[in-house]
Amino acid sequence: MNDWIEHLEAQGLVRSATHEWHFGEATGQAHLPLETTALAPLPQFSIMEIAGADAERFLQGQTSAQVTLANGDFAPLTAFCSPKGRMLANGQLMRLEEGRYWLLLDSDLIEPLHEQLAKYAAFYKVEISQPAVRAFGVMGRDAADRLESHFTTAPPETWGMQRVGQAVLLRHPSPVARYMVIAPEATALEAWQSLQPTTTAVGNAVWRLHDIQAGLAWLGAAQRDSYLPQMLNWEALAGISFRKGCYTGQEVVARAHFRGQVKKRLQRGRLASHVLPAPGTPVEDTAGKSQGEVLSAALDADGQTEVLAVITQRDEPRALVVEGNALTPLDLPYAVERVDPESLAGQA
């Protein structure tokens, strides 16, 4: 047991083996960031560190991001693909200093991605490790003020990063201001305790809801090697640079983009149900034919289920169901069209 876990459990934290952490009742907290400022532990995320004299060159050949754009202010989304262009992981790339990068990704993908990258790392002066850090979210109407009060610096803009001592601050898109704090355990605990008196602790499912509402899907182990990046709208989120040179899977990803060969797309929807479908649950038409699968689900402020699902594209509208519950389409907060990360780098 460590100090971070002990402190959160003293506040009523309940943990599960599937990275579901909550305080008190697991439901009924989604409205809190709309009314106040909320803190959420984020055990679903971990950090991989890539460091060494060849770190930039190594990453440039492996990831969909233009690595030079990760400059300490802008932290681009990125993807790691198989030679067939299928996503092995997606994440956010941070440059802490020359030759040292952090990659934020799903905790269950740290080990398999490490094994994949190790095949190539042997040819570079680079080391891959998992630093002992914790991540938590700060979200709500006063989130920026709370963070600025503790860290004595203005937090970053969307997809930007701010390094403050040993901590890194990120801002993610959301209907409300939403920030992530990543730091060594002692630093994270100190920040949590400082923010705690003026905030409300909520479960990490609330953060997942805001990912869904932002149209942002994070691959887990079950979805690994299943989708082209465009199937998760990754180019619409500026997660693919089409101006950089080769990287593993680049030819397939580029061909799919320029020929318009993406048959499935990430879509957002609501179910008239309080039961969350598991990732991978089929999305079916009324004839029972599979049209896609759920990637992520969470309860919204009205107690209904919101989902992100990868669904086969059709020109004509059609009725879809998930486990017998009608799926009502919801708008994504962005247009599904290419956004070059180079156009965002100067805005972070």
Side-chain angles (χ1 to χ4, degrees):
M1 189 71 70
N2 53 51
D3 292 342
W4 169 260
I5 299 297
E6 287 181 346
H7 180 78
L8 296 188
E9 289 187 335
Q11 293 184 64
L13 175 70
V14 178
R15 297 185 292 154
S16 79
T18 57
H19 305 309
E20 292 297 319
W21 290 19
H22 58 87
F23 297 87
E25 293 293 329
T27 60
Q29 296 185 326
H31 66 95
L32 289 172
L34 306 176
E35 302 169 357
T36 183
T37 305
L39 290 181
L42 301 176
Q44 67 265 46
F45 294 108
S46 291
I47 293 292
M48 176 182 289
E49 180 170 295
I50 301 96
D54 292 338
E56 181 181 318
R57 188 164 64 94
F58 169 70
L59 285 168
Q60 184 72 358
Q62 294 300 323
T63 180
S64 65
Q66 175 61 267
V67 177
T68 56
L69 296 179
N71 58 9
D73 296 313
F74 181 52
L77 290 176
T78 192
F80 294 81
C81 299
S82 71
K84 295 183 178 180
R86 303 287 166 162
M87 296 176 79
L88 301 176
N90 59 349
Q92 186 175 9
L93 185 64
M94 296 160 267
R95 179 184 181 272
L96 274 68
E97 57 196 23
E98 184 176 358
R100 184 179 173 215
Y101 295 85
W102 276 5
L103 176 68
L104 175 77
L105 71 162
D106 185 280
S107 294
D108 290 337
L109 288 179
I110 288 284
E111 186 172 334
L113 183 61
H114 190 165
E115 291 178 359
Q116 175 71 17
L117 295 181
K119 299 175 185 177
Y120 305 95
F123 303 100
Y124 295 84
K125 295 177 181 178
V126 67
E127 293 185 1
I128 303 172
S129 61
Q130 184 178 0
V133 296
R134 298 290 185 176
F136 68 88
V138 186
M139 48 188 163
R141 61 189 179 191
D142 296 323
D145 290 341
R146 299 286 183 262
L147 284 172
E148 186 169 359
S149 177
H150 175 75
F151 289 103
T152 65
T153 187
E157 298 299 319
T158 303
W159 300 131
M161 64 170 285
Q162 178 74 36
R163 189 175 180 194
V164 187
Q166 292 185 298
V168 172
L169 311 182
L170 303 173
R171 181 169 184 175
H172 286 187
S174 172
V176 300
R178 187 167 69 129
Y179 302 91
M180 187 182 294
V181 179
I182 307 168
E185 182 170 306
T187 303
L189 179 57
E190 179 188 8
W192 180 284
Q193 290 173 320
S194 173
L195 295 165
Q196 184 180 330
T198 55
T199 59
T200 303
V202 299
N204 61 327
V206 178
W207 184 273
R208 186 168 64 248
L209 171 66
H210 285 257
D211 276 341
I212 292 169
Q213 294 177 341
L216 177 60
W218 300 93
L219 284 184
Q223 296 88 33
R224 186 174 180 268
D225 203 13
S226 299
Y227 306 112
L228 293 170
Q230 291 97 325
M231 293 180 182
L232 268 64
N233 299 342
W234 217 237
E235 86 280 34
L237 291 163
I240 307 171
S241 173
F242 291 97
R243 301 182 185 181
K244 66 174 288 184
C246 292
Y247 57 90
T248 303
Q250 180 266 343
E251 183 178 351
V252 177
V253 173
R255 184 168 62 244
H257 172 70
F258 290 110
R259 295 185 180 179
Q261 296 175 332
V262 182
K263 298 180 179 180
K264 290 184 174 184
R265 280 286 186 180
L266 186 74
Q267 298 183 37
R268 180 176 163 232
R270 178 182 288 122
L271 302 175
S273 170
H274 306 301
V275 179
L276 299 180
T281 300
V283 177
E284 300 174 326
D285 60 24
T286 52
K289 183 178 179 180
S290 177
Q291 298 295 319
E293 50 280 329
V294 171
L295 261 66
S296 182
L299 295 178
D300 64 17
D302 297 321
Q304 292 189 308
T305 298
E306 290 196 24
V307 302
L308 288 177
V310 175
I311 298 174
T312 302
Q313 294 186 286
R314 294 284 187 272
D315 292 332
E316 71 283 357
R318 64 201 190 280
L320 297 174
V321 297
V322 177
E323 296 182 325
N325 297 297
L327 178 64
T328 301
L330 296 174
D331 291 336
L332 290 165
Y334 51 78
V336 183
E337 57 188 30
R338 171 179 164 180
V339 175
D340 289 322
E342 291 82 357
S343 69
L344 299 183
Q347 303 174 26

